[in-house]
Amino acid sequence: VDNKKRIWIGFYQDGLDYSVYQSDLFKVYAYPPHFNSLNLTVRSFLINDHIKLIGTRDGLYYINEQQQIVKYFDRTVLQSDLILSLIYYNGEYYIGTYGAGMYILNPESLTIRRTGFPECEALQSGHIFCFRTDTNGSLWIGSSSGVIRYDGVTDRIEMFTSFNSLLPEGNVYEIFFDSDHKGWFCCDKGLVL
């Protein structure tokens, strides 16, 4: 839901829709003549003020309607076609892919770079399913290898797997922090608190 109370919905196929109160319930999102989401297979999206990021099965779209910018990033930049997750964190956009780890998009230069952690296999070649922040400002990353906690202040990561924690082996698809600041982790083999 954005600041105008519109609900944005990404479909498995056929693009991205949004609802407008007391109007036709759904419309396919387009920014004519620069962009139309019709027939795109949308897997993730993010709205940050006037900037929209749309992750598809064929790459990532960056749309800034205010500055009339539409930029497309494909496999040649991201090493993956499938964009699973997006978040705005510490002034940049973090991009989770299927099979190519995580990338960071700088909104000023519109350039994409790798993380500064080449030793972390999940961030280089894993599946990045979700991003969530906690009340301390840490970024939690659900991956195909477990959970990664990134501290943006100290620029350090900590990896949690079935080898060093009670996290079950396998994928971590979703992370949720409740009102008591407890983390819920949705895994291949159960729900972990």
Side-chain angles (χ1 to χ4, degrees):
V1 178
D2 67 10
N3 59 357
K4 293 180 183 173
K5 305 298 181 202
R6 292 180 293 194
I7 301 171
W8 293 78
I9 303 165
F11 291 94
Y12 175 68
Q13 294 180 339
D14 297 325
L16 180 69
D17 283 354
Y18 68 95
S19 68
V20 179
Y21 183 70
Q22 294 183 342
S23 179
D24 292 335
L25 188 57
F26 295 104
K27 294 180 184 177
V28 174
Y29 170 69
Y31 172 51
H34 308 289
F35 178 80
N36 189 338
S37 70
L38 184 66
N39 295 323
L40 288 180
T41 304
V42 177
R43 290 297 304 260
S44 57
F45 65 92
L46 172 70
I47 299 173
N48 182 30
D49 198 17
H50 56 275
I51 295 172
K52 296 172 186 70
L53 268 67
I54 302 172
T56 72
R57 290 187 63 85
D58 298 307
L60 176 72
Y61 291 88
Y62 170 94
I63 302 166
N64 183 331
E65 293 181 16
Q66 194 174 57
Q67 295 180 358
Q68 297 184 346
I69 297 171
V70 175
K71 188 158 183 178
Y72 174 65
F73 302 95
D74 63 8
R75 175 179 274 282
T76 61
V77 177
L78 297 169
Q79 299 177 357
S80 176
D81 293 323
L82 186 52
I83 310 304
L84 297 176
S85 53
L86 300 162
I87 194 169
Y88 183 72
Y89 179 73
N90 281 354
E92 296 184 296
Y93 296 97
Y94 287 62
I95 303 160
T97 70
Y98 184 88
M102 184 177 85
Y103 290 84
I104 301 170
L105 169 64
N106 182 296
E108 300 300 319
S109 63
L110 290 183
T111 57
I112 290 183
R113 70 181 189 280
R114 277 288 193 183
T115 68
F117 305 101
E119 72 282 1
C120 183
E121 186 179 331
L123 294 178
Q124 302 303 313
S125 60
H127 312 321
I128 306 297
F129 296 109
C130 70
F131 298 107
R132 297 293 176 262
T133 55
D134 64 19
T135 55
N136 297 322
S138 292
L139 180 65
W140 292 78
I141 304 164
S143 80
S144 52
S145 301
V147 175
I148 303 156
R149 183 171 60 101
Y150 171 63
D151 185 326
V153 175
T154 63
D155 195 35
R156 294 178 191 238
I157 62 169
E158 187 175 7
M159 183 83 190
F160 298 97
T161 67
S162 59
F163 296 110
N164 66 358
S165 72
L166 295 178
L167 196 67
E169 184 179 3
N171 298 326
V172 178
Y173 295 111
E174 187 60 70
I175 300 169
F176 174 77
F177 290 98
D178 65 21
S179 58
D180 289 331
H181 312 293
K182 293 177 185 164
W184 297 77
F185 300 88
C186 303
C187 307
D188 270 335
K189 298 178 180 172
L191 183 63
V192 180
L193 180 62

